[in-house]
Amino acid sequence: MSSRFFAAGESSSESSSEEEELYSEEEKEQKSDEDSQEDSEDSEEEEDSSDEEDGGKTGISKFLKDQASSEGESSDDDTPKLVKSAKNKRLEELDGVIKLIDNAVKINDWSSISSEFDKLNRQVVKIAAADKAPKQYIKTVSDLEDFMNETIAKQKVSTKKMNATNAKGLNAMKQKIKRNNREYATEIEKYKEDKFDYMMSDEEEDMVPAEKPSSKRDIYVLETPGEDDQGFSTVGRGGRTLQYTPESIFAHLRTITESRGKKNTDRAEQIRIMERLFAVAVTPYQRIRVLLTLISTRFDLTTGSAITFMSQEQWKSADQELGTLFEVLEDNRNMVVVENAEAWDDDEKPPQPAPGEKLKVPGSLVSIVERLDDELTRSLQHIDPHTAEYIERLSDEQALYNKVVRAMLYVEELQKDTKLEAPQENANRIVMRRVEHIYFKPSQVVNILEENAWNSVPSQFDSKITPRGKAQDIATLVQILCTYLFENSADIIQGRAYLCQVYFCALHDQYYRARDMLLMSHLQETIGNFDISTQILFNRTLVQIGLCAFRAGLVYESQNTLLEICGSGRQKELLAQGVMIQRYSQVTPEQERLERQRQLPFHMHINLELLECVFLTCSMLLEIPLLAQTGSSPDIKKRVISKNYRRLLEFHERQIFTGPPENTRDHIMQASRALAAGEWKKAVELINSIKIWELMAQSEKIKAMLSEQIQEEGLRTYLFTYAPFYDTLAVSTLAAMFEISERKVAAVVSKMISHEELAAALDQVNSAIIFRKGVELSRLQSLALTLSDKASGLIEANERTLEQRTQGTANAFERQGGRGGRGGGRGGARGGMRSDRGGPRTRGGQQFGGGALGGAIKA
């Protein structure tokens, strides 16, 4: 070893390759020893310093120790080594696992998150055996839960799905976090209430070396009351203290307002700042400005992020702040929030209104209420309606309705002052929101909403449109609000108000009024020009009118009204109660996203199974007598009332084995077959056994109405089917057969005779029906007539096809001598050309007249 060193010293300034290799190996060994003995940060600093000192040395001088270095090493040996406790080591290991989880979160790697989460829990068990869980662990599991909910929300609206490994990890984390966070629910709630204060509190000793704070981030310092009465200060860049005082409120608000819409803006931090600003606000003007900015910033939390709706916590905070804003404005009548006010630019002093004038603050309370309403609707769209969370979220509607009523009173107050020039559009918008909250609810529910809303309004405030003290029922309330909109609005709001009133009338069994209002509005002619949400409301109103007609026993009117919606097979899509993605549809992701945004919350849905049951029952009561009529009289042109019902009936009849009915369709199809066979009692039993009728009000009354309808239609079906076999038939026999009164039988038969459905006469003296026997066709004659009709139709189709193909070449098949190419001596009648002898061609070329049998029939 020494010979090599001295050889290197005697050589020239250039070293050999062997020496260079040896140098590199020795240097690596030295570095590895230093890394193993000292911390990573200290080792890097020492390596850099040693490299600078040895930069000018080569050869043996690189390895020889001088006196300074030996003294330095001896001094290093004298310094005490850092001894860490077992708890500190475990906390460091815990921080390492948390760092791995954070890295996996950044790249959305749920497989790694799941495996590291298991390690994290194993580490916590060791630490928390004698003490409670570390705060960094509480922070990690809480943030993981929020990130998981955000990822799930993204996946619901995203067209790009996760790979199998990632999806498996996400599903595993759902269960793990759900089970794990129950144990630490109290600590997690404390953390979510104020994350910063929770992490900075002195409840737990800080045993792990804290990370150096970045100069780019502000650190909040809670000052002692003696130093500053306001309580908070912020240390920013360069150690400059930012204090929240009443004088600095407007400057802070301007900074926050200017940063809206910019990237990398911490909106949660801005909300915390404004909450502190509101705490130090002194004057009403300062409080109004802070509240308006604070509510707007809460709404910005969902803008540009993957979260599509406000959290319940943020929504309730915004709702409470809006209530506080109303209280401030009601206590200070000299200040108003209007949209046409000019912004105040001076941050040093507040504006001073002139004597006798009101101070205008720029803002829109109506827009805030509308945004709160939209956020509540959006959250209800994304929550599973079959959980308790949906019911809990739905309970917030009462608080929202209270704010709608208070906003309506405030707008009315602004309209009293003509100097403010409050636009009428604001009043129309807030009244429309109030109508949209009550039009689809039963009267009992609306009564509770109204009572609670007026109790929340101070007694000195009253409405000119809907006075507080005037006793009125809900029907009158809806009529007053809708009449106000008819008189003061136009276009879409007026049309929506009309539809809401019609819907309310139909919901409360006022069929004829709802029908007449809809017909007089002529909305069915212009509804295609309205926006999609109004078209959805029109469809819902149409369906509600059909259900109202059914409850009133008007089967024909109900079937005609529901045919357009139910006959299309797209009830979910037309009523905005579900998205139907067809296999070969050309729907872009943007269109699908907009379609999902238009979906109605579950509590506004119309039961589709009940709707289908009503439609098929009405179709059965109309189609079965019609089928019997066309079956007994082949010369009558076949007519189809409901294609969907016919298709289901044909499918049911093709089945070889028919078991007991399992669902609504099976009950109706088997009842149809029983009614066609004359077994009306069995049909009544099958229809009444459908459990969906229990969802309708007065279900027993509806079942009794259906029994009467089935008896009547069974009588008509029997007469259509067996009329050719009777000469006379006693009315009492029919009454006993179908268990209805003789008067009802006589009324049904008279109606059939007057409509020329039955060739008979009613003998009122003998109480009998006398059937007239006309020219009855045999089976062969009926088939011959059918054949002639089909042959004529075939010939006409051929004629039209040939004319389309020879357009512009009418003489293409004409030969010399005037003889048609295809028509020959007949003048080309089959070719669509007239013969030389002139005269118009008869319909269909050679008309088939039915031969001798047809002539005998015509004679």
Side-chain angles (χ1 to χ4, degrees):
M1 293 287 292
S2 60
S3 61
R4 290 188 181 180
F5 292 156
F6 286 110
E10 294 173 356
S11 64
S12 62
S13 62
E14 294 181 358
S15 61
S16 65
S17 59
E18 293 180 356
E19 295 167 351
E20 290 176 355
E21 291 176 0
L22 178 62
Y23 168 77
S24 60
E25 291 174 358
E26 293 292 336
E27 185 180 13
K28 288 180 182 178
E29 291 175 1
Q30 183 180 4
K31 287 184 179 181
S32 62
D33 294 337
E34 290 175 352
D35 290 338
S36 61
Q37 293 176 2
E38 299 176 358
D39 295 331
S40 58
E41 294 181 359
D42 297 334
S43 64
E44 290 176 1
E45 293 176 0
E46 290 177 7
E47 285 174 17
D48 295 339
S49 61
S50 62
D51 290 340
E52 291 177 1
E53 293 174 358
D54 298 339
K57 298 180 180 180
T58 57
I60 191 173
S61 59
K62 179 72 177 178
F63 301 97
L64 293 177
K65 298 181 180 180
D66 56 0
Q67 185 177 2
S69 62
S70 61
E71 292 177 357
E73 287 184 358
S74 62
S75 62
D76 289 341
D77 295 337
D78 296 338
T79 58
K81 295 182 179 179
L82 179 62
V83 179
K84 298 179 181 178
S85 65
K87 183 177 180 181
N88 283 1
K89 291 180 180 180
R90 288 170 183 169
L91 287 174
E92 286 185 357
E93 293 174 359
L94 184 71
D95 288 340
V97 177
I98 291 175
K99 188 173 182 180
L100 292 176
I101 292 178
D102 291 340
N103 293 337
V105 165
K106 292 177 183 178
I107 61 175
N108 201 24
D109 186 2
W110 283 99
S111 178
S112 300
I113 293 174
S114 179
S115 59
E116 296 298 332
F117 187 74
D118 295 336
K119 295 180 184 177
L120 185 69
N121 285 331
R122 289 195 292 269
Q123 292 288 340
V124 169
V125 169
K126 300 176 183 177
I127 297 175
D131 199 357
K132 61 182 180 180
K135 293 189 175 181
Q136 56 263 45
Y137 173 76
I138 299 297
K139 175 181 181 299
T140 302
V141 295
S142 178
D143 294 345
L144 262 181
E145 184 178 10
D146 295 340
F147 180 65
M148 182 190 70
N149 295 332
E150 182 180 341
T151 305
I152 294 172
K154 278 184 184 179
Q155 287 300 311
K156 287 183 179 179
V157 298
S158 175
T159 56
K160 186 178 179 181
K161 301 300 180 183
M162 283 185 174
N163 57 38
T165 307
N166 224 13
K168 185 177 179 181
L170 178 59
N171 291 332
M173 284 300 297
K174 282 184 189 177
Q175 305 300 327
K176 291 178 184 178
I177 290 181
K178 187 175 181 181
R179 290 194 303 266
N180 183 76
N181 287 13
R182 288 176 187 168
E183 184 179 351
Y184 307 102
T186 306
E187 292 296 319
I188 291 174
E189 287 297 326
K190 290 180 182 179
Y191 169 73
K192 288 185 176 181
E193 285 176 4
D194 196 333
K195 300 181 179 179
F196 182 80
D197 290 345
Y198 180 83
M199 298 302 295
M200 293 295 294
S201 63
D202 297 328
E203 296 177 6
E204 179 181 342
E205 294 182 0
D206 190 9
M207 300 300 294
V208 182
E211 296 182 0
K212 296 180 181 180
S214 174
S215 60
K216 295 182 180 179
R217 296 181 60 188
D218 295 337
I219 304 172
Y220 293 95
V221 180
L222 183 61
E223 298 180 346
T224 59
E227 295 176 359
D228 190 357
D229 294 338
Q230 304 302 332
F232 291 97
S233 67
T234 304
V235 180
R237 295 178 181 178
R240 184 178 58 183
T241 302
L242 303 177
Q243 294 186 355
Y244 298 133
T245 62
E247 293 76 16
S248 65
I249 286 179
F250 299 127
H252 285 297
L253 290 180
R254 178 177 295 279
T255 304
I256 292 171
T257 304
E258 290 175 353
S259 65
R260 290 182 66 183
K262 294 183 179 179
K263 292 183 178 180
N264 301 325
T265 301
D266 190 354
R267 298 186 179 93
E269 183 65 28
Q270 291 180 346
I271 290 174
R272 286 194 291 269
I273 292 174
M274 282 186 286
E275 287 173 349
R276 292 183 171 93
L277 291 176
F278 181 74
V280 302
V282 177
T283 64
Y285 178 74
Q286 291 175 345
R287 300 181 71 190
I288 292 172
R289 287 283 305 275
V290 172
L291 286 172
L292 286 172
T293 311
L294 177 56
I295 296 172
S296 301
T297 308
R298 288 194 190 277
F299 290 145
D300 289 343
L301 284 174
T302 58
T303 304
S305 64
I307 305 174
T308 55
F309 61 93
M310 285 180 70
S311 64
Q312 187 174 9
E313 178 186 358
Q314 293 292 338
W315 190 93
K316 286 187 174 182
S317 299
D319 180 73
Q320 292 174 0
E321 288 153 4
L322 179 60
T324 306
L325 180 59
F326 277 123
E327 293 174 0
V328 174
L329 291 172
E330 290 164 358
D331 295 339
N332 300 272
R333 299 289 189 88
N334 60 334
M335 298 182 185
V336 293
V337 176
V338 291
E339 296 179 4
N340 54 6
E342 295 182 1
W344 185 255
D345 296 331
D346 192 354
D347 296 338
E348 298 297 330
K349 59 179 181 178
Q352 298 296 331
E357 293 186 0
K358 294 183 177 180
L359 178 59
K360 296 181 180 180
V361 182
S364 175
L365 296 181
V366 175
S367 298
I368 292 175
V369 173
E370 288 180 334
R371 182 65 185 269
L372 274 177
D373 191 6
D374 294 340
E375 291 293 343
L376 179 61
T377 303
R378 202 172 291 124
S379 66
L380 290 173
Q381 288 174 345
H382 290 81
I383 297 174
D384 186 0
H386 305 291
T387 59
E389 182 184 2
Y390 188 90
I391 304 299
E392 181 185 357
R393 198 74 180 92
L394 189 60
S395 62
D396 294 333
E397 189 178 13
Q398 178 66 67
L400 176 62
Y401 189 75
N402 298 345
K403 301 304 182 295
V404 171
V405 174
R406 295 186 73 170
M408 179 177 166
L409 297 179
Y410 187 76
V411 171
E412 289 184 44
E413 191 73 21
L414 294 180
Q415 287 182 330
K416 293 178 182 178
D417 192 348
T418 56
K419 296 180 181 179
L420 296 177
E421 299 179 356
Q424 179 63 38
E425 181 188 359
N426 287 346
N428 296 340
R429 285 159 55 192
I430 198 65
V431 171
M432 190 67 235
R433 289 282 174 168
R434 187 175 177 185
V435 172
E436 288 178 345
H437 273 278
I438 62 177
Y439 81 94
F440 63 93
K441 294 184 173 70
S443 298
Q444 299 85 348
V445 179
V446 182
N447 273 323
I448 298 173
L449 275 178
E450 283 290 317
E451 183 179 355
N452 293 336
W454 284 110
N455 290 338
S456 66
V457 178
S459 57
Q460 65 268 25
F461 295 100
D462 201 356
S463 172
K464 184 180 178 181
I465 303 174
T466 58
R468 177 202 295 262
K470 186 178 179 181
Q472 55 189 7
D473 59 351
I474 303 305
T476 308
L477 172 66
V478 173
Q479 184 176 358
I480 290 173
L481 294 174
C482 292
T483 304
Y484 178 84
L485 293 174
F486 298 157
E487 295 173 352
N488 298 284
S489 64
D491 301 332
I492 293 179
I493 292 183
Q494 189 178 37
R496 290 184 68 85
Y498 219 107
L499 290 173
C500 288
Q501 187 174 4
V502 173
Y503 189 103
F504 185 84
C505 293
L507 184 65
H508 292 80
D509 296 330
Q510 302 176 22
Y511 168 72
Y512 292 105
R513 184 184 179 191
R515 181 199 64 181
D516 295 342
M517 286 184 64
L518 187 62
L519 292 176
M520 287 188 298
S521 67
H522 298 284
L523 281 172
Q524 62 272 17
E525 301 171 4
T526 59
I527 192 62
N529 301 327
F530 286 80
D531 60 324
I532 296 179
S533 60
T534 307
Q535 294 179 21
I536 291 170
L537 179 58
F538 178 81
N539 294 338
R540 285 166 52 80
T541 305
L542 209 60
V543 166
Q544 199 59 246
I545 292 175
L547 294 176
C548 180
F550 177 78
R551 292 193 296 268
L554 305 172
V555 174
Y556 180 76
E557 289 82 356
S558 176
Q559 201 274 344
N560 276 346
T561 307
L562 297 176
L563 181 61
E564 187 175 358
I565 302 296
C566 299
S568 64
R570 300 164 54 217
Q571 296 94 313
K572 274 189 177 181
E573 187 178 353
L574 294 175
L575 298 176
Q577 296 181 191
V579 180
M580 298 179 63
I581 305 301
Q582 299 179 359
R583 182 177 299 177
Y584 301 107
S585 61
Q586 301 294 327
V587 179
T588 63
E590 180 68 19
Q591 291 175 337
E592 184 180 349
R593 184 181 63 83
L594 293 175
E595 186 69 23
R596 293 187 184 277
Q597 288 180 354
R598 287 190 287 264
Q599 299 304 299
L600 295 173
F602 183 76
H603 68 281
M604 297 179 65
H605 284 191
I606 298 173
N607 193 308
L608 295 180
E609 187 178 356
L610 175 63
L611 179 62
E612 183 187 34
C613 182
V614 169
F615 176 70
L616 291 179
T617 302
C618 293
S619 300
M620 177 193 74
L621 295 174
L622 297 175
E623 284 279 12
I624 295 301
L626 182 62
L627 288 171
Q629 183 182 7
T630 55
S632 61
S633 303
D635 54 333
I636 297 177
K637 186 178 181 181
K638 291 187 177 181
R639 184 165 59 96
V640 177
I641 296 176
S642 172
K643 291 182 179 179
N644 287 353
Y645 174 79
R646 288 282 183 96
R647 193 180 305 115
L648 290 173
L649 187 61
E650 290 173 2
F651 175 77
H652 189 267
E653 289 177 346
R654 285 199 302 267
Q655 290 182 348
I656 299 174
F657 173 74
T658 305
E662 297 178 356
N663 51 31
T664 303
R665 286 186 181 181
D666 291 347
H667 279 86
I668 296 175
M669 292 302 111
Q670 292 193 18
S672 301
R673 295 184 66 175
L675 185 60
E679 301 176 4
W680 66 271
K681 288 185 178 181
K682 184 179 179 181
V684 169
E685 182 183 353
L686 286 167
I687 292 297
N688 288 344
S689 63
I690 299 175
K691 295 181 180 179
I692 199 71
W693 301 125
E694 302 297 332
L695 298 179
M696 300 184 76
Q698 301 178 347
S699 58
E700 295 301 326
K701 182 180 176 182
I702 290 173
K703 291 179 181 179
M705 179 269 295
L706 286 173
S707 300
E708 294 177 3
Q709 292 285 347
I710 291 173
Q711 286 174 325
E712 183 179 336
E713 298 303 327
L715 173 60
R716 296 179 72 240
T717 304
Y718 183 83
L719 291 175
F720 282 136
T721 305
Y722 299 105
F725 304 99
Y726 283 102
D727 290 329
T728 59
L729 184 60
V731 174
S732 59
T733 304
L734 291 174
M737 187 182 300
F738 291 95
E739 298 181 3
I740 53 179
S741 63
E742 295 185 7
R743 186 175 180 181
K744 183 69 174 177
V745 173
V748 171
V749 172
S750 300
K751 189 175 181 180
M752 294 174 66
I753 293 172
S754 64
H755 290 171
E756 297 183 356
E757 296 175 344
L758 188 65
L762 185 61
D763 185 358
Q764 296 181 348
V765 177
N766 298 320
S767 185
I769 305 170
I770 303 172
F771 296 93
R772 290 197 300 266
K773 301 295 181 181
V775 179
E776 296 184 4
L777 303 179
S778 65
R779 183 67 175 168
L780 179 60
Q781 291 173 333
S782 300
L783 292 174
L785 287 176
T786 304
L787 178 62
S788 68
D789 290 339
K790 290 185 177 180
S792 298
L794 183 61
I795 292 172
E796 287 181 4
N798 290 341
E799 288 278 347
R800 285 193 298 270
T801 303
L802 187 59
E803 286 178 1
Q804 290 175 0
R805 292 188 177 183
T806 59
Q807 242 177 1
T809 58
N811 300 323
F813 300 103
E814 187 176 353
R815 296 178 180 175
Q816 294 181 358
R819 297 176 63 86
R822 295 192 181 186
R826 299 189 299 275
R830 293 288 301 277
M833 299 176 288
R834 298 181 181 178
S835 62
D836 296 335
R837 298 183 183 86
R841 62 182 178 89
T842 58
R843 181 173 62 90
Q846 290 183 341
Q847 186 71 19
F848 183 76
L853 180 59
I857 293 171
K858 290 177 182 177

